[in-house]
Each structure stands twice: as C-alpha cells, then as structure tokens.
Amino acid sequence: MTAANEITKAEFEAQVWAGMSEAVFQGQVLQTARLMGWGPVYHTRYSLGSRAGYPDLHLLRGKRSVFMELKTMKGKVSPAQDEWILALMEA
C-alpha cells in the first residue's frame, strides 16, 4: 500500500519513459554497453545519402555482434527499419 503522495514503481517508470527523448535513451544504452564491455560501437550520426532504415547502433564484443534499433515509448518502427531488422535476423 502506498501513501497518498506516493506512486507505484510502474507509474514512476511510465512517467520517466514517457518523456524520454531517443537521444537521451541512446546515451543511456551506450553508457551501459560500454560499462558491460561492448565496443567498438558504431552509430551513423548523419544518415543523409544512406539507405533508409539501418539500425541505430552496431555493437561488438569479442565474437558477438549486436544491431539495435532504439525507440522511445512514442516511437514506431518504419517499413524500412522493419526490412533491415528482418534481413539482419535472417543473416
């Protein structure tokens, strides 16, 4: 039971995530990845002229390779992003 001025863990998380920008989220993911030994990390800063939909991040650690498409609670995967996600999963 919570006091009148307290919120639940789920309510707190919903409020934090609801207002988070993709840039802030990506920064947190990168910081966590580096702390966990992932690197090098690739991110296309300006994708002008590149094929649409490529994942936001590509992380390496040893023989492991991970692609990440990051979305906030408001974000939606585009058809081009879906195409890349499916192609990378099949590779």
Side-chain angles (χ1 to χ4, degrees):
M1 189 166 127
T2 60
N5 63 345
E6 293 181 3
I7 62 174
T8 66
K9 180 178 183 274
E11 290 169 331
F12 173 77
E13 289 174 351
Q15 288 179 11
V16 169
W17 283 100
M20 186 176 294
S21 71
E22 189 171 308
V24 169
F25 178 48
Q26 180 174 293
Q28 291 180 343
V29 169
L30 288 171
Q31 183 179 23
T32 302
R34 288 185 180 112
L35 288 171
M36 301 298 291
W38 288 90
V41 174
Y42 176 79
H43 167 68
T44 302
R45 188 175 300 264
Y46 301 107
S47 59
L48 186 63
S50 298
R51 185 170 171 199
Y54 194 76
D56 294 318
L57 300 173
H58 185 182
L59 295 86
L60 301 172
R61 183 172 73 179
K63 295 182 179 183
R64 300 204 59 191
S65 176
V66 175
F67 294 89
M68 293 182 176
E69 179 58 46
L70 304 177
K71 295 292 176 206
T72 63
M73 296 298 281
K74 300 174 195 171
K76 297 192 185 326
V77 176
S78 72
Q81 290 168 331
D82 243 348
E83 184 180 329
W84 270 107
I85 291 166
L86 291 173
L88 288 165
M89 287 173 59
E90 291 176 358

